C-alpha cells in the first residue's frame, strides 16, 4: 500500500487479523525496530489490537504477569510497552550473549546481616517495587522504574534497633484484585531468645499483618504504595525462634524452635488477632532447624527440611493451645518422602493441575512436582537438577518458575533456564542448561528476579571494616540489572 493509504487500509481490518500481522512479524525483529510497533499502533487508531495481544499473552502463560491496574486503564502506548517488555525480557534472559540492557546501583536502608536477610527483601511481581524490611520492622519501598531511585517509608518502625533483633517478611498476593494488592506478614523478635526469660515484657515478639496497595495519582497511574495495619498477635512463650514464614489468605504458617523440638505451625491470624497468648494453633509437622514451608490452597502445607519432604492437610489437625508431648515426631501427611535435604525453597508455582516448588541446599537443587487438584496421595516427582560447576554453587540463589539465578562465592552470576518450564519428570532429569557467568563482583550477594520484566536485583556487600573498626554502615547498596532489550539505549 502507498504510505498515505496505509492507515485507512489497516483501520478496516478486523482486530484479530491485525493481531496476527503483529505476530507474523518476528518479535525479535520488532524489538530491534520499535518504530514498526509505533507505526502500527498509530495506523490502527485503536487500542483494541494491543488489548487483544496483551490478553492473549496473559492467557497463554500458566503463571500470567500481574498488572498494577486494570487493563482498561492502560493506553495503547502503555499496552505496547508492557507487551514489548514481556517479550524482550524472555529474549534477554535466554540470549546467548547474556548481558543486561541496563545496569544501575543505589543505596537503601540496611537489613540484617544474618541468614534472615533473604526473608527481609522482596521484589514484587512486575519488578517495579522493591520492599526492604529493617531490623526495626520498618519497611521501605523503592520504585525501580524511576529515573532516580529513592526510598519511601511504607511501614514505620515497630521496635527499637538491636543487633540481635530478627525481622522476617512474607507476601501473599491478591489474585482477584484488579489492582496490585498484597498482604505482608512480619515476624518481629527484638532480642536473641537466650538473653532473658521469654515472658519478659521488655521483649517484642509478635506477628503483624499489613495490607498493601497502589496509590493512584491524578492521571490514574500508580505513583506509590500504601499500607494498612490489619492485625497482630504475640508469639507464644514456647516459641524460641522463628525460622520460616508462609502466608495465604487468613492463614499464616511458620516453623519455629520450641523447648523440645522444631515444629511447623498454622495459625488463623484473624482469630489470633489481639494480645492473648491463648490463641489456637495447629501443630502440623515435626521438622528440622533448617528448611522451607509453603501454604497451598485446599488447606495444604508443604514442609521441606533435612532428610524429609511432606505435604499435609492441616484442616484435619485439631486446633490446640499446647505443644505435643515430647518426643513427638509422627504426624499425618498426604505424602511424605525421605532422603532429600532442604535449606531453601522457592514460592509455590501453581497451575490448574500441577504444583511445583524448587528446593535444595548450597550443593544441589530439586524440583518437586505434584498434583494440584484433586488432592491425592500420589507421590511427587522429585528431580535433581544438574550440579553446579563448583562447590556451594547454589549458596546464593533465586529460584524461579522459568529461571534460576545463582551467584557464586567469587561473585559470578549465572542464569539457568528450564528447557520445559516447571514440570520436570524423572525421565527428563537434565531440565536446565547453564549459561556463562555474567559478572565478577565478589561483593554480589542474594539475587532476586522478576521473570516477567527480566529484572534482577542483588545486594552489594560493603567492604569488611578494619578489625579495630566495629561500626557498621547504616545503609545497603543494591544493583538493578534489566535484561529486557527495550531498555537498550
Amino acid at each position: 500500500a502507498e504510505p498515505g493509504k496505509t492507515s485507512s487500509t489497516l483501520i478496516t481490518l478486523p482486530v484479530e487479523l491485525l493481531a496476527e500481522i503483529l505476530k507474523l512479524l518476528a518479535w525479535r525483529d520488532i524489538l530491534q525496530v520499535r518504530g514498526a510497533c509505533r507505526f502500527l499502533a498509530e495506523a490502527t487508531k485503536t487500542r483494541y489490537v494491543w488489548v487483544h495481544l496483551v490478553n492473549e499473552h496473559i492467557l497463554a502463560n500458566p503463571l500470567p504477569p500481574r498488572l498494577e491496574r486494570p487493563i482498561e486503564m492502560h493506553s495503547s502506548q502503555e499496552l505496547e510497552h508492557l507487551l514489548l517488555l514481556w517479550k524482550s525480557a524472555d529474549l534477554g534472559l535466554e540470549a546467548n550473549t547474556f548481558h543486561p540492557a541496563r545496569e544501575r546501583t543505589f543505596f537503601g536502608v540496611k537489613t540484617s546481616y544474618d541468614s534472615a536477610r533473604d526473608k527481609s527483601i522482596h521484589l514484587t511481581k512486575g519488578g517495579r517495587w522493591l520492599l526492604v524490611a529493617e531490623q526495626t520492622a520498618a519497611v521501605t519501598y523503592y520504585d525501580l522504574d524511576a529515573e532516580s531511585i529513592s526510598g519511601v517509608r511504607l511501614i514505620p518502625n515497630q521496635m527499637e534497633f538491636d543487633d540481635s533483633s530478627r525481622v522476617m517478611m512474607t507476601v501473599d498476593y491478591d489474585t482477584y484484585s484488579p489492582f496490585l494488592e498484597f498482604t505482608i506478614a512480619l515476624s518481629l523478635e527484638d532480642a536473641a531468645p537466650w538473653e532473658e526469660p521469654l515472658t519478659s515484657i521488655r521483649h517484642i515478639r509478635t506477628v503483624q499483618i499489613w495490607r498493601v496497595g497502589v496509590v493512584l495519582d491524578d492521571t490514574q497511574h500508580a505513583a506509590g504504595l500504601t499500607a494498612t495495619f490489619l492485625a497482630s498477635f504475640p508469639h507464644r512463650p514456647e516459641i524460641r525462634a522463628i525460622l520460616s514464614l508462609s502466608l495465604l489468605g487468613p492463614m499464616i504458617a511458620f516453623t519455629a524452635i520450641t523447648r523440645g523440638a522444631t515444629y511447623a505451625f498454622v495459625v488463623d491470624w484473624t482469630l489470633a488477632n489481639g494480645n492473648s497468648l491463648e490463641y489456637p494453633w495447629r501443630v502440623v509437622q515435626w521438622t528440622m532447624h533448617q528448611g522451607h514451608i509453603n501454604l497451598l490452597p485446599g488447606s495444604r502445607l508443604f514442609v521441606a527440611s533435612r532428610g524429609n519432604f511432606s505435604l499435609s492437610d492441616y484442616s484435619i489437625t485439631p486446633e490446640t493451645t499446647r505443644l505435643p508431648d515430647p518426643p513427638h515426631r509422627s504426624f499425618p501427611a498426604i505424602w511424605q518422602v525421605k532422603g532429600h535435604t532442604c535449606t531453601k525453597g522457592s514460592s509455590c508455582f501453581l497451575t490448574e493441575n500441577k504444583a511445583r516448588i524448587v528446593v535444595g541446599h548450597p550443593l544441589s537443587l530439586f524440583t518437586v512436582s505434584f498434583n494440584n487438584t484433586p488432592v491425592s496421595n500420589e507421590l511427587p516427582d522429585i528431580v535433581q537438577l544438574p550440579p553446579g560447576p563448583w562447590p556451594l554453587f547454589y549458596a546464593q540463589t533465586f529460584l524461579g518458575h522459568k529461571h534460576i539465578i545463582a551467584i557464586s562465592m567469587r561473585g559470578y552470576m549465572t542464569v539457568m533456564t528450564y528447557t520445559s518450564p516447571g514440570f520436570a519428570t524423572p525421565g527428563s532429569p537434565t531440565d536446565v542448561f547453564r549459561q556463562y557467568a555474567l559478572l565478577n563482583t565478589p561483593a554480589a550477594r542474594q539475587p532476586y528476579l522478576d521473570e516477567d520484566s527480566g529484572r534482577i536485583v542483588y545486594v552489594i556487600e560493603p567492604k569488611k571494616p578494619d578489625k579495630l573498626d566495629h561500626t557498621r554502615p547504616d545503609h545497603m547498596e543494591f544493583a538493578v540489572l534489566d535484561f529486557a532489550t527495550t531498555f537498550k539505549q
Side-chain angles (χ1 to χ4, degrees), residues 272-463:
N273 183 27
N275 297 319
S276 173
L277 293 171
E278 296 299 317
Y279 54 84
W281 61 16
R282 290 181 166 95
V283 186
V284 182
Q285 275 293 338
W286 172 86
T287 183
M288 301 294 287
H289 285 190
Q290 290 182 313
H292 179 73
I293 57 171
N294 282 105
L295 279 168
L296 282 72
S299 302
R300 292 171 295 165
L301 179 68
F302 174 80
V303 180
S305 64
R306 190 168 63 193
N308 182 40
F309 297 166
S310 68
L311 183 69
S312 301
D313 180 354
Y314 64 78
S315 67
I316 66 174
T317 302
E319 291 186 328
T320 181
T321 57
R322 301 177 56 221
L323 287 174
D325 295 328
H328 189 89
R329 298 187 177 184
S330 178
F331 291 84
I334 298 172
W335 51 254
Q336 192 169 53
V337 179
K338 297 184 181 296
H340 302 285
T341 294
C342 172
T343 60
K344 66 177 67 181
S346 70
S347 300
C348 185
F349 306 115
L350 295 173
T351 64
E352 184 177 356
N353 299 314
K354 283 284 187 179
R356 174 178 167 270
I357 303 171
V358 185
V359 295
H361 53 86
L363 297 177
S364 63
L365 294 179
F366 303 87
T367 61
V368 182
S369 305
F370 51 93
N371 289 333
N372 186 25
T373 54
V375 175
S376 71
N377 58 3
E378 181 180 345
L379 292 178
D381 288 330
I382 299 178
V383 180
Q384 184 172 0
L385 302 183
W390 50 76
L392 303 181
F393 177 75
Y394 294 114
Q396 299 283 337
T397 53
F398 177 87
L399 310 175
H401 172 60
K402 296 185 290 185
H403 305 89
I404 292 174
I405 302 296
I407 297 181
S408 75
M409 302 304 289
R410 296 177 293 173
Y412 288 91
M413 181 181 287
T414 303
V415 64
M416 294 169 285
T417 304
Y418 302 101
T419 54
S420 55
F423 308 115
T425 64
S428 177
T430 56
D431 69 334
V432 300
F433 61 87
R434 193 172 295 107
Q435 293 186 328
Y436 62 87
L438 167 68
L439 300 173
N440 183 10
T441 307
R445 296 289 184 272
Q446 202 52 59
Y448 303 87
L449 166 66
D450 177 66
E451 298 183 279
D452 294 317
S453 64
R455 177 168 286 166
I456 295 175
V457 179
Y458 64 87
V459 175
I460 301 176
E461 290 279 13
K463 292 182 179 180

Side-chain angles (χ1 to χ4, degrees), residues 28 117 124 173 179 226-227 233 242 300 411 436:
R28 190 180 301 274
R117 173 187 291 169
T124 64
Y173 287 90
F179 294 90
T226 184
F233 61 91
I242 299 296
R300 292 171 295 165
Y436 62 87

Side-chain angles (χ1 to χ4, degrees), residues 103-118:
E103 184 171 357
R104 298 167 292 161
T105 60
F106 69 95
F107 288 98
V109 296
K110 183 184 69 173
T111 65
S112 62
Y113 282 86
D114 60 14
S115 59
R117 173 187 291 169
D118 66 325

Side-chain angles (χ1 to χ4, degrees), residues 67-75 78 128 178-180 214-224:
L67 299 178
E68 286 188 332
R69 52 205 175 102
I71 194 171
E72 295 79 12
M73 298 177 66
H74 289 74
S75 67
E78 291 167 341
R128 179 177 178 181
F179 294 90
L180 177 65
V214 294
V215 176
L216 301 181
D217 60 17
D218 293 338
T219 64
Q220 298 300 294
H221 290 80

Side-chain angles (χ1 to χ4, degrees), residues 34-107:
R34 294 195 62 198
C37 287
R38 286 195 294 269
F39 169 75
L40 284 171
E42 294 172 0
T44 60
K45 303 298 183 183
T46 177
R47 59 190 295 277
Y48 296 150
V49 173
W50 296 106
V51 171
H52 178 85
L53 286 169
V54 168
N55 276 326
E56 188 176 62
H57 180 87
I58 291 174
L59 294 174
N61 280 271
L63 295 174
R66 285 282 302 176
L67 299 178
E68 286 188 332
R69 52 205 175 102
I71 194 171
E72 295 79 12
M73 298 177 66
H74 289 74
S75 67
S76 296
Q77 292 76 17
E78 291 167 341
L79 294 173
E80 173 193 352
H81 170 75
L82 278 176
L83 194 61
L84 294 181
L85 177 68
W86 296 336
K87 295 291 186 180
S88 67
D90 287 337
L91 294 176
L93 287 172
E94 297 174 9
N96 291 329
T97 56
F98 181 58
H99 193 79
R102 181 174 66 170
E103 184 171 357
R104 298 167 292 161
T105 60
F106 69 95
F107 288 98

